[in-house]
Amino acid sequence: IPVRLSGQDSSRGTFSQRHIVLTDSKTGDEIIPLNNVAPEKAFIEPLDSLLSEGAVLGFEYGYSTADPLTLVVWEAQFGDFANAGQVIIDNFISSSDTKWGLPNNLVMMLPHAQEGQGPEHSSARLERFLTLCADDNMIICNPTNSEQYFHLLRRQARQKSKKPLVILTPKSLLRMPEAKSVKDEFSYGKFNEIIDDNVTDKSKVKLLILTSGKVYYDLMKYRNDNKISDAVIVRVEQYYPYKSDMMKEILSSYKNANDVVWVQEEPENMGAWNFMALRLRKDISEWQKLYYVCRQESASPAAGSMSKHIETQNELIRRSFSKDSNDLL
């Protein structure tokens, strides 16, 4: 399956496909090693695009409708760069199939996470994409390891029904050892929309934390460091289409987990909370109570100070394991 990859720094190596293009420092000649792995197979075409997101995103959308056999990927420098392509997203990518019967399988990779890099470079405006979701028109995912990332892209390339895919791609996971996968995990398996925790005795669990994205690793570290044995952390890797049956099965399997907490890094008025709350209220078991933990609502996606980010992040993680959370009811 051919792959077309464009973005401000897609071939220069800012993102997960580091070293996809190598340059001879003396001659300036470029080589793409992946295109020499199996010369008889399809090629990958990495391109550094100009800083005009509306124009580039519109072109890539058109390319994906004209060539449905190619996996077309547009990658933003940061997730907030999608703001400049908003008219393309709203009028075409999210709704062209419904309006005109014109499907597309465009992939948008949008770096998104609270990583202390300031207001704009922390948010891909996940809440906007979730507001646009209806009638299975898009796929919105936040994979937390390389195995999930690979199988998600493979599923996208092989799907018969063409739907655009939005991937939230935290940059810190590119260099996090815990997010790596071993070879066999790429060779076998599939993309998992929700990943349950790996516990041997579910009857001992009193607290069930639901989360998504790189904050999962912060929660894991806190749980391990504080030797908390009665809490599990379940990852939502795909927001939409939302897998209600899978969620109900996982929630009901923890018979003694009376407290269910949704944890997100984003402020209360952003991120996935408003989207997830409506669905989780229907899916939790009758003996369970739903809480949420997030940053205070804000007009800005994030603070502009690294020290402030660390302070609020530590407090958010601490509250996730305590009763000091916001009550949905």
Side-chain angles (χ1 to χ4, degrees):
I1 297 174
V3 177
R4 174 185 171 87
L5 172 67
S6 75
Q8 285 90 6
D9 279 324
S10 290
S11 70
R12 284 192 286 262
T14 302
F15 303 102
S16 54
Q17 49 280 347
R18 294 179 185 275
H19 316 305
I20 197 169
V21 176
L22 303 180
T23 304
D24 188 314
S25 60
K26 293 182 179 179
T27 67
D29 293 340
E30 294 183 342
I31 183 172
I32 304 173
L34 287 175
N35 285 340
N36 293 279
V37 173
E40 301 303 319
K41 300 297 183 181
F43 284 176
I44 183 170
E45 183 183 18
L47 303 161
D48 289 325
S49 63
L50 72 161
L51 283 166
S52 179
E53 290 78 12
V56 174
L57 190 55
F59 184 88
E60 302 304 337
Y61 160 77
Y63 199 108
S64 70
T65 60
D67 183 3
L69 300 181
T70 295
L71 182 65
V72 181
V73 182
W74 177 71
E75 187 171 45
Q77 174 71 254
F78 283 90
D80 66 287
F81 281 36
N83 290 344
Q86 186 173 318
V87 65
I88 303 298
I89 297 167
D90 292 358
N91 289 3
F92 297 92
I93 295 173
S94 66
S95 57
S96 67
D97 193 11
T98 297
K99 292 191 290 189
W100 309 308
L102 190 62
N104 72 93
N105 68 336
L106 178 67
V107 179
M108 296 176 59
M109 291 183 184
L110 306 177
H112 171 94
Q114 296 280 335
E115 295 173 328
Q117 299 199 49
E120 270 53 72
H121 291 348
S122 296
S123 179
R125 296 295 185 179
L126 168 62
E127 62 279 359
R128 283 203 73 254
F129 286 99
L130 293 177
T131 300
L132 293 171
C133 289
D135 301 323
D136 290 334
N137 64 324
M138 292 194 296
I139 305 167
I140 316 292
C141 295
N142 196 353
T144 52
N145 61 42
S146 51
E147 170 199 6
Q148 283 283 95
Y149 178 62
F150 168 77
H151 285 297
L152 175 60
L153 288 175
R154 185 173 185 272
R155 186 187 72 174
Q156 179 73 5
R158 294 173 58 86
Q159 66 177 346
K160 294 181 179 179
S161 178
K162 301 300 181 183
K163 305 290 182 183
L165 167 64
V166 176
I167 308 180
L168 307 177
T169 53
K171 286 190 173 184
S172 60
L173 295 192
L174 300 176
R175 56 186 178 271
M176 182 178 286
E178 293 82 0
K180 70 180 180 182
S181 302
V182 300
K183 182 175 66 174
D184 285 349
E185 291 173 325
F186 296 98
S187 302
Y188 306 98
K190 63 181 182 65
F191 178 75
N192 296 292
E193 291 87 355
I194 305 174
I195 301 179
D196 197 356
D197 209 335
N198 185 21
V199 293
T200 54
D201 188 357
K202 291 190 173 185
S203 65
K204 296 181 179 180
V205 175
K206 302 294 180 59
L207 173 65
L208 195 161
I209 294 175
L210 292 169
T211 193
S212 183
K214 69 97 176 167
V215 71
Y216 163 76
Y217 294 100
D218 296 333
L219 293 166
M220 282 284 291
K221 185 178 186 305
Y222 185 93
R223 184 178 68 174
N224 295 338
D225 290 348
N226 291 275
K227 297 180 172 57
I228 300 173
S229 59
D230 62 350
V232 294
I233 308 170
V234 176
R235 284 171 280 175
V236 177
E237 302 275 294
Q238 177 173 297
Y239 289 113
Y240 191 86
Y242 176 73
K243 295 295 182 179
S244 179
D245 291 344
M246 187 181 297
M247 180 64 76
K248 287 179 181 177
E249 182 179 350
I250 291 174
L251 291 172
S252 63
S253 68
Y254 292 94
K255 301 298 183 182
N256 296 318
N258 296 326
D259 296 328
V260 178
V261 182
W262 171 259
V263 178
Q264 68 177 38
E265 296 181 300
E266 300 90 348
E268 182 180 353
N269 57 318
M270 302 179 192
W273 166 239
N274 290 323
F275 174 86
M276 293 297 298
L278 296 174
R279 290 155 179 82
L280 290 175
R281 291 181 71 173
K282 298 178 182 178
D283 290 348
I284 60 172
S285 300
E286 57 184 10
W287 67 85
Q288 294 172 325
K289 193 171 184 180
L290 181 63
Y291 302 83
Y292 65 99
V293 174
C294 53
R295 285 178 166 83
Q296 292 182 351
E297 64 178 10
S298 171
S300 173
S305 162
M306 175 61 81
S307 60
K308 183 65 174 178
H309 160 72
I310 294 173
E311 177 186 341
T312 56
Q313 189 78 355
N314 289 339
E315 176 64 9
L316 182 141
I317 300 303
R318 184 195 66 79
R319 287 172 52 216
S320 300
F321 290 89
S322 72
K323 289 290 186 179
D324 186 16
S325 57
N326 301 300
D327 188 351
L328 170 66
L329 304 178

